[in-house]
Amino acid sequence: MRFREAIILAGVCALFASCGEERRAAEQDDLIESGTLKGADVWLRATDRTEPALWLAQREAGGAVGMRELAVERIRAALLSAQPHFLESDRMLANRTAQVGQMLAADGHAEDFAQLINSLAEVAAIAGQKQTYGEVCQHYYNLRHSGVEREEALRMLAARYRTQKQFR
């Protein structure tokens, strides 16, 4: 394994180990602070009161984004559409999306975060049961990192997850 891949793998393992389970906020109103992206805000923590969609939009933009900007609305809608297909909370979906987005960008494959969430939710929906978002992200990243183009990677994942439905 190359050094760069070992560093990325270590980071992924550390993030997976640091993430606990938490309940989703019952209402959007439960998330009241908009916050700003600071050095300490590398990951959205369970104790943060920043809305996951806003936090992720700020990560994608590399700075401040308003609560009502189109980027936040798109991510908010993507997170909402992903909820029925993944086990994790919106906070964890945001963290994983930021993580895989950063890894893809490092490989020269930067992707729109809302589109990434929507695409992976479509893959998970094919399985007919809730999936672990981190696992789907890792499968997707591995394909893209190995040189598979976006649409082909999504097609391959869809075929893989379709088998879950066939064998239930």
Side-chain angles (χ1 to χ4, degrees), residues 77-127:
L79 291 171
L80 185 62
S81 70
Q83 288 175 358
H85 307 293
F86 295 111
L87 297 169
E88 295 95 335
S89 68
D90 287 351
R91 178 186 74 84
M92 288 307 306
L93 294 177
N95 279 334
R96 294 282 183 260
T97 302
Q99 178 187 35
V100 79
Q102 181 179 352
M103 292 164 58
L104 287 166
D107 280 353
H109 305 296
E111 292 197 26
D112 176 87
F113 287 174
Q115 186 178 18
L116 180 61
I117 294 166
N118 283 326
S119 296
L120 297 181
E122 289 172 10
V123 167
I126 290 169

Side-chain angles (χ1 to χ4, degrees), residues 46-87:
T47 56
D48 291 340
R49 300 221 4 115
T50 302
E51 177 188 5
L54 176 63
W55 179 85
L56 190 54
Q58 290 173 341
R59 284 292 300 264
E60 186 172 32
V65 174
M67 288 283 292
R68 298 289 173 216
E69 287 192 34
L70 181 58
V72 177
E73 296 295 334
R74 289 182 62 243
I75 292 172
R76 197 176 282 139
L79 291 171
L80 185 62
S81 70
Q83 288 175 358
H85 307 293
F86 295 111
L87 297 169

